[in-house]
């Protein structure tokens, strides 16, 4: 079945550092890939997505590229801020799947001033 | 703006009680979901519904049931709460169709069973 493997946390960075959170997946067919973010005490919200190979999703300075050859969707940001402290979830959705999303286990990011 | 509203943010219930968690969405979405979130385990799907009165089991349905009598409302029911059901519960909704559709989440309900 489908699965998502995420870099384990927690990750602690200083403000303005470069961020990478690794995500790899296993799926049949051609899934869509997502990054969701969960700020403290809140639900999840979509950060970015890519629906086909070589697509790059971007939002709020974050980027991720859908790499079919390496089955990866790594999240990157060039300069993190304290306000980026949150839990980040990688997820995939397979075409034709009514259940929609399969999530990774989440990566806790803390950015220190 | 898209809105998924969960009726209770924080609940404390006793073992054996029947618990209702309510969720309402205002986007006319066909699909609705209940997830459970636990540290180190990520999000696990309990049940989902793709139409009124239709439901399917997710990965961890044991000890839970659901009800969808109206399109906008999806309820999660714990028939007899147990301490191992202490968790954060997240409701979500989405349009039907392709795999690229965004799923929208509520803010979550923290349930403690004592």
């Amino acid at each position: 079945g489908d699965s998502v493997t995420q870099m384990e946390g927690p990750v602690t960075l200083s403000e303005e550092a470069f961020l990478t959170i690794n995500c790899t997946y296993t799926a049949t067919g051609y899934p869509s890939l997502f990054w969701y973010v969960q700020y403290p005490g809140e639900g999840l919200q979509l950060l970015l997505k890519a629906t086909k190979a070589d697509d790059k999703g971007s939002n709020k300075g974050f980027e991720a590229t859908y790499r079919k050859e390496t089955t990866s969707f790594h999240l990157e940001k060039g300069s993190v801020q304290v306000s980026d402290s949150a839990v980040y979830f990688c997820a995939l959705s397979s075409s034709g799947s009514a259940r929609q999303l399969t999530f990774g286990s989440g990566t806790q990011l803390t950015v220190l001033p | 703006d898209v809105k998924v509203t969960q009726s209770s943010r924080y609940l404390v219930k006793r073992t054996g009680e029947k618990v209702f968690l309510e969720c309402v969405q205002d986007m006319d979405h066909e699909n609705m979901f209940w997830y459970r979130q636990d540290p180190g385990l990520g999000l696990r799907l309990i049940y989902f519904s793709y139409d009124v009165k239709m439901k399917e089991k997710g990965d961890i349905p044991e000890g839970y049931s659901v009800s969808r009598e109206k399109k906008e409302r999806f309820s999660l029911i714990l028939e007899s709460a147990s301490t191992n059901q202490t968790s954060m519960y997240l409701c979500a909704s989405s349009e039907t169709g392709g795999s690229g559709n965004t799923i929208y989440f509520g803010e979550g309900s923290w349930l403690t069973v004592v």
Side-chain angles (χ1 to χ4, degrees):
Chain A
D2 297 345
S3 68
V4 175
T5 302
Q6 249 183 270
M7 171 177 163
E8 287 194 18
V11 174
T12 302
L13 295 173
S14 297
E15 206 164 23
E16 299 184 2
F18 184 84
L19 169 71
T20 301
I21 301 177
N22 290 338
C23 172
T24 57
Y25 67 90
T26 303
T28 53
Y30 302 95
S32 294
L33 301 172
F34 303 79
W35 277 100
Y36 278 81
V37 59
Q38 185 178 33
Y39 297 105
E42 298 183 10
L44 277 71
Q45 55 186 273
L46 179 69
L47 181 59
L48 53 84
K49 70 179 182 183
T51 57
K52 60 182 187 296
D54 299 325
D55 267 3
K56 179 186 282 188
S58 61
N59 186 26
K60 299 182 181 179
F62 291 89
E63 292 184 340
T65 302
Y66 188 160
R67 302 280 188 206
K68 192 171 187 301
E69 64 275 14
T70 54
T71 62
S72 65
F73 193 55
H74 304 322
L75 182 68
E76 296 182 337
K77 187 175 185 183
S79 176
V80 293
Q81 306 300 312
V82 172
S83 57
D84 294 326
S85 298
V87 181
Y88 293 82
F89 291 91
C90 185
L92 71 81
S93 176
S94 290
S95 58
S97 169
R99 60 180 292 148
Q100 303 266 312
L101 288 178
T102 300
F103 285 91
S105 58
T107 301
Q108 171 77 57
L109 170 67
T110 301
V111 180
L112 302 175
Chain B
D1 254 3
V2 160
K3 194 78 173 168
V4 177
T5 303
Q6 294 182 229
S7 56
S8 304
R9 290 299 308 275
Y10 303 96
L11 306 94
V12 179
K13 298 292 181 181
R14 294 192 182 280
T15 301
E17 274 193 78
K18 190 169 186 175
V19 181
F20 293 86
L21 299 180
E22 307 284 348
C23 176
V24 176
Q25 51 98 358
D26 65 358
M27 298 160 284
D28 202 37
H29 284 167
E30 293 82 6
N31 300 323
M32 295 189 75
F33 309 83
W34 276 106
Y35 291 90
R36 173 176 170 161
Q37 183 178 9
D38 299 287
L41 298 177
L43 275 74
R44 294 180 290 169
L45 182 64
I46 304 171
Y47 268 97
F48 66 100
S49 168
Y50 51 89
D51 202 350
V52 175
K53 297 190 186 294
M54 305 302 287
K55 61 186 179 185
E56 284 200 24
K57 293 179 180 180
D59 298 319
I60 51 164
E62 296 78 19
Y64 303 94
S65 62
V66 290
S67 172
R68 193 164 180 204
E69 296 295 319
K70 294 185 177 182
K71 191 175 185 181
E72 68 271 18
R73 187 179 297 271
F74 192 37
S75 302
L76 180 68
I77 303 155
L78 288 67
E79 294 289 342
S80 178
S82 63
T83 55
N84 62 13
Q85 292 178 309
T86 292
S87 187
M88 162 93 142
Y89 291 88
L90 287 163
C91 176
S93 73
S94 75
E95 292 179 319
T96 198
S99 63
N101 289 337
T102 299
I103 289 187
Y104 297 90
F105 285 84
E107 292 197 335
S109 298
W110 289 94
L111 172 65
T112 301
V113 182
V114 298

